[in-house]
Amino acid sequence: MELGLIGRGAIGRYVAREVASRGHEVSAVLVRPGRAAPGAVLEVEAAADIPETVDLMIDCAGHGALAAHGPEILARGVSMITLSIGALADRRLAGALDDAAEAGGSRLHLASGAIGALDCLAAAKVGGLDEVTYTGRKPPQGWKGSPAEETLDLYAMGTGAATHFEGSARDAALAYPKNANVAAAAALAGLGFDETRVRLIADPAIDRNVHEIAASGAFGRFSFQISGEALPDNPRSSALAAMSVLAKLDQITGRIAL
């Protein structure tokens, strides 16, 4: 396939390197206005300038980029993969993306991001779910630049963990656009944004991000936990999130796919 990327940060660079080994080509990268630079791959600053030959766009740039460019790209008939799942907590944006995909005959594919077990959660939803809770635990520095700074001194926490958010997945995704994509993924797979409960914790005793989903329902109970590594290029970017983009691409393009 001929691919386009939105963003050229750590995840975008990882995806660009890896797609070539799968026989795909990145022919364009959509960047912020004023950031386009000449190079081996065409860089554009508007969705209208994406070449018509692009078969699929991959969004690696965050909620703002999906909101700014997603509807126009989908309306053009170009499907997308996005990691910005939390952006769908905004009902207006979710509706605009859905309308654009219907108008263009395209699809918005959601990469699973930094968490697994979503297939299990989606299967459990069929039989009926009673409760789904997502707990996100990060070192204090992982919450810098987020609302956690309003309630915690992230630079002098000592050794004890502290919960700085408890509420719905919708509220978490809207308040923490750079930190709550996993909560949003769990919500979409299970009980939805308003019924999925979220706890966000700053923990000085850990050195990586820890995600946990716990669910109960007609199927029984399960708990899934993952301790994720960061990409070498950026300690705030999840390696598994980047890998999930490639997994989704394989699923889309494979003749036999799980």
Side-chain angles (χ1 to χ4, degrees), residues 78-200:
V78 180
S79 292
M80 298 179 64
I81 296 174
T82 184
L83 281 165
S84 304
I85 302 175
L88 300 181
D90 182 331
R91 292 183 178 91
R92 183 175 298 181
L93 175 59
L97 292 166
D98 186 70
D99 290 344
E102 181 179 13
S106 54
R107 297 189 71 185
L108 179 63
H109 301 278
L110 307 181
S112 61
I115 193 67
L118 298 182
D119 53 348
C120 181
L121 189 57
K125 178 182 178 181
V126 174
L129 284 164
D130 297 327
E131 184 178 6
V132 178
T133 301
Y134 164 72
T135 301
R137 190 182 298 266
K138 296 184 179 184
Q141 62 267 26
W143 297 110
K144 291 178 182 177
S146 80
E149 292 183 322
E150 299 171 10
T151 57
L152 299 176
D153 184 349
L154 299 175
Y155 298 90
M157 283 191 61
T159 58
T163 299
H164 55 86
F165 175 89
E166 289 191 78
S168 71
R170 188 180 303 279
D171 289 342
L174 293 174
Y176 294 79
K178 295 182 179 180
N179 302 94
N181 280 327
V182 176
L188 288 171
L191 283 175
F193 279 104
D194 297 311
E195 298 301 322
T196 301
R197 308 314 299 167
V198 173
R199 295 174 66 228
L200 302 179

Side-chain angles (χ1 to χ4, degrees), residues 18 22 26 28 54 56 66 71 77 86 104 107 113 123 143-144 162-163 167 177 179 183 189 220 237 239 255-256:
E18 293 297 319
R22 288 161 165 78
V26 175
V54 168
L56 179 74
L66 181 62
R107 297 189 71 185
W143 297 110
K144 291 178 182 177
T163 299
N179 302 94
S237 293
R255 294 184 180 87
I256 300 175

Side-chain angles (χ1 to χ4, degrees), residues 58-75:
I58 301 176
D59 164 36
C60 303
H63 294 196
L66 181 62
H69 305 297
E72 182 176 352
I73 292 170
L74 293 168

Side-chain angles (χ1 to χ4, degrees), residues 8 31 34-43 45:
R8 46 176 162 81
V31 299
R35 299 287 185 87
V41 177
L42 174 68
E43 293 191 356
E45 298 177 356

